[in-house]
Amino acid sequence: MEFSIHTLGDFAFVVRFPNSSNLVARRAAASLARHLDSSHTPPSVVECVAASGTMTIFCDPLAWRAATVFKRRDVSVSHSPSPEDFYNLLRASLDELTRDDGDAIANNDFMRCTIELPVCYGGEFGADLEFVARHTRLAPEQVIELHTGGDYIVEMIGFAPGFPYLGGLSPLLATPRRATPRLKVARGSVGIGGTQTCVYSIASPGGWQLIGRTPVSLFRPQVSSAPSLLRAGDRVRFRSITPQEFEDAHEIVTAQE
Amino acid sequence: MSIEVLQGGLLTTVQDGGRYGFRREGVSVCGALDEFAMRAANTLVGNAPDAAALEITLAGCALRFTQNYFIAICGGDLMPHVAGEAVPCWRPIYVAANSVLDFKGIRTGCRAYLAIAGGLDVPVLLGSRSTDLRAQFGGYDGRALQAGDSLSCLHNGDAAARLREKLAASHTNIQFSFADWFVSANVRPTRAAQTALRVIHGSEFAAFDEPSRRALFEQIFVVTPNANRMAYRLRSDEKLKLVAPREQFSTAVVPGTMQVPPDGNPILLLADCQTTGGYPVIAHVIRADLTIVAQMKPGDSLRFVETTLDEAQRLYRERERTLTQLRYAVRFKMDERT
């Protein structure tokens, strides 16, 4: 499996799998991230983040030369580990991951949880539902049906804490982002942007088309073990609820915070 | 033990060394924009370098100390005063109970860091006391300080107590006293009217056309008013253009990353930036030079100069060595018996 490495600033590297299909690339990136995150973590690595077929390795600038960077080989102190050194480490790690079982990457438990999010569609909760319906030449009810009928996968978490980019949106629902972003999108808003769908995990400016809102909290800073409800690789489904159900659930969620 | 906020000022927030380990959950790093100044201030009062301190922006902040406190102010010179008298920066200061510290305006720079012995006592969230203004958590209730707020400090060590006694003994009826030693000007990051920031290539550097790649290193960029803790938008005469339009996927970004949106004006990302970005990345300002960016304000001009990965890392480590030396020097001063 081929990959390339680029520096990201002066203390991080991005690994890309350019020739792999999207799914294989995602799985390879996730495997590598987990491999480096486990007992094989070199002392200089702070964290690894897998996203959409890339993996980013963030390094601790002070541990860089103080300790052996890789357990597999000593790095001479006369120079900092170069992209080439990292390439060799990752090559070795990938080879090890696929050595015993050629399908180790294909079969890993990359797909994790399935989370069902209740969403109240339209009205004050989804100000752009009518626009999306007109753009896609569907009735609003059909938009909701197609959206709730989908099986989505979290491609990555970015843009904001806990904010998921979801793949798997029906092509029939694809709608370009708003020409002028809104100054404030309410937390929990469900959006369509191009061929992806998302959920705003925090209140923020935003340009996606808003079709509904979920009362579920996608970002909980008090939960240090898992501040983001969703992680790359999780599956997501949506379920339609009434405004009353939204209010009831929202009251419970905010009382807990 | 408390510090009362009389005026919040333009933007005063609690910041520490930043929030690491949660980037995969989309959590921004945040933390002090001028890492060096914050660490120096903490070191001068005997705190761990990454203890929580106040980042004070431009002007307007006023604080009342309800008890005797041991503090230090480093970074930009925002003209701190107590009881009408100027307070010197880059050295430990002893302020007496009921003193009011206010910042009269900008002499140099943009941000000052106020460290207090013991470090600020706010809850630790996701491993840090830094304020995430965008996601509204951390620091002081996830927001900037306002009039009426009240801060307290964690217990500070005994070495600081000895220096505090020495400083207290040297003041009679003025409300503050200060050490006669300070962080020498020649180890502080320097700033000139037209500062050259060192950068290394971004992953899309080669995707920009030849005139743009040259322009990056030849022309002057100006900080526009659209400048905040998330990013500084820059403006220049010649816009930066790609060779050909390309589909850009969201990729990881870090503070220092320079993205170029379709309008050709680069965006320099800083501590509060998102973890991912969708624009082509032309270059990254090296971490050691972000301390200089932190002291720039709208209207300031800058240029870029190319450097290598090795040089960038060497400069950062050199900066950290300076802080370690400072730590030893301060400890020595605190233990002095005279």
Side-chain angles (χ1 to χ4, degrees), chain B residues 321-332:
Chain B
R321 249 196 311 275
T322 302
L323 284 166
T324 304
Q325 285 162 4
L326 178 64
R327 197 148 54 244
Y328 284 121
V330 170
R331 204 173 295 164
F332 174 73

Side-chain angles (χ1 to χ4, degrees), chain A residues 6-14 16 37 46-49 56 58 61-62 64-65 79-81 83 156-163 165 202-204 219-228 231, chain B residues 19-28 39 125-127 132 134-137 200-204 248 250-254 257 274-276 281 284-288 309-310 312-314 316-317 320:
Chain A
H6 248 288
T7 53
L8 175 72
D10 37 356
F11 290 107
F13 294 96
V14 179
R16 285 207 186 101
D37 251 357
V46 173
E47 57 184 320
C48 301
V49 181
T56 308
F58 294 91
L62 298 177
W64 201 261
R65 278 198 272 172
H79 74 280
S80 304
M156 68 176 204
I157 304 288
F159 174 70
F163 181 106
Y165 286 85
I202 62 170
S204 139
F219 175 60
R220 304 83 47 93
Q222 329 83 280
V223 183
S224 54
S225 55
S228 172
R231 288 204 172 159
Chain B
R19 196 164 268 121
Y20 291 95
F22 297 94
R23 262 177 278 232
R24 90 167 60 142
E25 268 106 3
V27 180
S28 303
R39 287 189 156 125
L125 278 175
L126 301 182
D132 189 325
R134 198 167 153 247
Q136 298 179 303
F137 77 96
I200 59 180
H201 290 183
S203 47
E204 281 84 50
Q248 187 73 23
S250 282
T251 53
V253 292
V254 291
T257 296
Q274 302 160 13
T275 53
T276 58
V281 173
H284 303 270
V285 172
I286 69 174
R287 189 161 168 174
L309 178 65
D310 270 355
Q313 294 177 347
R314 188 192 68 75
Y316 187 79
R317 271 192 293 274
E320 288 300 304

